[in-house]
Amino acid sequence: MSIELLAETAQAMVAPGKGIIAIDESTGTIAKRFASVGIENTEENRRAYRELLLTTPKLNEHISGAILYDETIRQSTKDGVPFAKYMTDNGMIPGIKVDKGAHPLAGCPEELVTEGLDGLRERLQEYYKLGARFAKWRAVINIGENIPSGTCIESNAHALARYAALCQECGLVPMVEPEVIMDGDHDIETCYEVTEATLRSLFDALYQQNVVLEGTILKASMVIPGKRCDEQVDVEEVAESTVMCLKSTVPAILPGIVFLSGGQSDEQSTAHLNAMNQMGNLPWPLSFSYGRAMQQAALKLWAKDVKGNYAAAQKTVYERAKENGLAALGKWED
């Protein structure tokens, strides 16, 4: 492990005005996305769709890297160039999702723990050979009556830290993602408390497992009310609450933080990121690692006419990347 190389990669992932596009949907998840727009879920359609996203002209102006799925990192463009090589040749960093999904946490009803540590070292070594230079592991923290429990938070933090240590041993930057889920009727104060407890536990676990923070990226959820909450909050309140929570929990030595969109609309996720960066005087760069908020409009266009709308769909991807790149600088205008 080279700490210098890990730090260099982590810094490049959050370069000014750039963020990460998440195209790491599992085969089951992409099936749902495709079904919603009438596209058959075949391997070739998945490959073609990922190619549309990754080969968007000038994408590297605002995108520093992409999180890929196991199938995708083994695929190539129609011209036979492996996706990871295409990305590297075009100034973008290939990443890979490595967790095996969230499963019921024994003894803790309605709570989940992410699995996938068994055999992870060998998988990471293979992904490095395939061209990946960072990885992602997502934990799921639900808010509800009497949850999350301390057991759930600590179990997921421990798994994230073990994963992160293995990543760094294999030369990959770990992206740690403890997602506090937006579903529910909880208010913004409850989300703040749960997010704060989750991040405190995570960074304690990373310290215990000797993870080098200079070579680590946090993928965070924003502090926001649940979808079924009656409370109305404005963009500034979400931004201020999120930044305050991060400042109280995340060490300043971390190279950067990227946000997931987590059920927000395209415009909401951009507006919130922009408002945070307009606050100024932040210890770390705040950027994005959006999936649906980067892709959904393009997918709908492409689905209507796979060949005829190809360029128009790519233009939409570029525009979303540009808007979020500006938001990462606090320069986006509605």
Side-chain angles (χ1 to χ4, degrees):
M1 176 182 75
S2 165
I3 294 173
E4 291 76 15
L5 277 177
L6 288 171
E8 190 179 305
T9 301
Q11 288 163 9
M13 289 166 66
V14 288
K18 292 189 178 186
I20 307 284
I21 184 171
I23 57 171
D24 58 338
E25 302 91 352
S26 67
T27 305
T29 300
I30 201 79
K32 294 174 189 172
R33 304 266 172 91
F34 278 5
S36 71
V37 292
I39 293 177
E40 188 182 357
N41 184 32
T42 63
E43 182 179 352
E44 173 52 26
N45 280 344
R46 293 192 296 271
R47 189 209 63 76
Y49 176 56
R50 265 65 184 255
E51 178 170 3
L52 179 151
L53 298 170
L54 291 173
T55 61
T56 293
K58 301 188 292 183
L59 187 65
N60 59 8
E61 290 179 3
H62 307 289
I63 294 295
S64 59
I67 310 168
L68 309 177
Y69 186 58
D70 178 81
E71 177 184 74
T72 315
I73 201 169
R74 304 175 192 281
Q75 291 175 328
S76 302
T77 67
K78 63 181 183 297
D79 296 328
V81 181
F83 283 144
K85 183 178 189 309
Y86 178 89
M87 289 178 63
T88 303
D89 290 348
N90 285 275
M92 294 181 285
I93 306 165
I96 181 72
K97 171 190 173 179
V98 298
D99 67 69
K100 296 288 188 179
H103 298 267
L105 178 58
C108 297
E110 297 183 41
E111 298 196 277
L112 303 168
V113 65
T114 300
E115 298 180 356
L117 290 172
D118 288 354
L120 180 57
R121 177 181 276 118
E122 291 73 26
R123 289 194 291 128
L124 291 171
Q125 289 168 346
E126 182 189 12
Y127 288 138
Y128 187 93
K129 289 176 183 173
L130 288 169
R133 290 299 177 264
F134 74 94
K136 189 203 83 169
W137 178 290
R138 174 178 176 256
V140 174
I141 308 295
N142 287 308
I143 298 178
E145 190 174 351
N146 299 318
I147 63 171
S149 64
T151 302
C152 172
I153 289 174
E154 288 169 20
S155 298
N156 278 292
H158 180 77
L160 278 163
R162 290 301 314 132
Y163 140 82
L166 285 163
C167 279
Q168 292 189 339
E169 176 189 277
C170 295
L172 291 104
V173 171
M175 181 184 282
V176 289
E177 180 184 0
E179 179 177 1
V180 177
I181 301 297
M182 259 180 80
D183 298 339
D185 58 6
H186 55 274
D187 58 21
I188 194 169
E189 287 80 11
T190 302
C191 182
Y192 185 104
E193 290 169 9
V194 171
T195 303
E196 184 177 40
T198 299
L199 291 174
R200 286 192 190 283
S201 182
L202 171 62
F203 282 97
D204 180 59
L206 292 171
Y207 175 77
Q208 296 293 339
Q209 300 296 335
N210 297 319
V211 174
V212 178
L213 293 187
E214 298 96 309
T216 304
I217 293 290
L218 171 65
K219 181 167 180 174
S221 43
M222 297 181 193
V223 175
I224 199 165
K227 288 179 185 174
R228 299 196 307 275
C229 179
D230 295 331
E231 175 191 22
Q232 298 292 314
V233 297
D234 58 23
V235 169
E236 284 67 31
E237 186 173 354
V238 171
E240 289 168 7
S241 298
T242 303
V243 168
M244 188 185 303
C245 187
L246 293 172
K247 281 185 172 180
S248 74
T249 54
V250 180
I253 199 168
L254 200 77
I257 299 168
V258 295
F259 290 100
L260 54 98
S261 47
Q264 301 178 55
S265 70
D266 293 3
E267 188 167 314
Q268 278 179 323
S269 56
T270 304
H272 288 144
L273 176 61
N274 188 65
M276 285 184 237
N277 280 300
Q278 287 185 336
M279 293 170 67
N281 196 29
L282 301 169
W284 357 248
L286 298 182
S287 190
F288 62 94
S289 176
Y290 295 158
R292 263 176 299 186
M294 281 288 301
Q295 300 178 39
Q296 196 61 24
L299 178 59
K300 287 178 181 176
L301 260 178
W302 184 64
K304 287 177 185 173
D305 186 344
V306 169
K307 290 183 179 176
N309 283 348
Y310 199 89
Q314 287 191 324
K315 185 181 178 186
T316 302
V317 175
Y318 176 79
E319 287 301 322
R320 292 295 301 134
K322 182 180 180 181
E323 288 175 6
N324 286 308
L326 288 169
L329 297 170
K331 294 180 177 178
W332 176 73
E333 293 181 6
D334 189 356

